């Protein structure tokens, strides 16, 4: 069925919006990759006795408890965040990086929210069973449940960022 005339977007505007969407995707994915890289850099820098290491651990201490027994280790040193936080951040990166493989990058209509809420279930079960003393979660369970939540967040955040960028571009007055 044909779209109403009010929804028509000329070809040049469509291409421009698509390029903007790819720019948002590339920028967001690069930022998420850099964030994960900083988490991994902290223990590596500590191995080289770099002052950067203590700065990174201090920075990430504001967002994570950094308990060594709950953190993955690189070269014998704990990462800058716990395994669950690492899973969330890595999942965010992975969700954003793979987004264009299964959905058009310029599609701004969000997926049904139920999928976002369902992504919380595994992490909630893992945490709840540990708190109840029924199950002791592991680095693997914390990381995997974090990846599930992080990937879902990335999949919901990216279209929102594309829409924000699109609205900013469309609200600017034309310079013709």
């Amino acid at each position: 069925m044909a779209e109403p005339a009010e929804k028509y977007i000329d070809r040049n505007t469509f291409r421009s919006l698509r390029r903007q969407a790819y720019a948002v995707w590339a920028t967001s994915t690069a930022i998420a990759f850099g964030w994960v890289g900083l988490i991994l850099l902290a223990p590596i820098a500590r191995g080289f006795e770099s002052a950067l290491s203590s700065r990174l651990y201090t920075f990430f201490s504001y967002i994570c408890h950094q308990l060594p027994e709950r953190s993955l280790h690189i070269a014998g040193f704990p990462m800058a965040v716990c395994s669950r936080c690492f899973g969330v951040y890595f999942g965010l990166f992975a969700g954003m990086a793979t987004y264009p493989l299964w959905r058009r990058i310029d599609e701004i209509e969000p997926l049904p929210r139920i999928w976002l809420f369902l992504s919380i279930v595994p992490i909630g079960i893992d945490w709840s069973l540990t708190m109840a003393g029924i199950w002791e979660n592991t680095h693997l369970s914390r990381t995997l449940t974090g990846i599930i939540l992080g990937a879902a967040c990335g999949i919901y955040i990216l279209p929102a960022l594309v829409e924000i960028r699109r609205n900013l571009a469309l609200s600017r007055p034309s310079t013709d």
Side-chain angles (χ1 to χ4, degrees), residues 42-61:
I44 294 168
R46 182 181 263 180
F48 290 107
E49 298 179 8
S50 169
L52 174 63
S53 177
S54 63
R55 290 185 184 117
L56 287 171
Y57 280 108
T58 300
F59 173 77
F60 283 107
S61 72

Side-chain angles (χ1 to χ4, degrees), residues 125-135:
I125 291 172
D126 187 50
W127 181 84
S128 298
L129 291 177
T130 298
M131 294 308 291
I134 298 170
W135 149 278

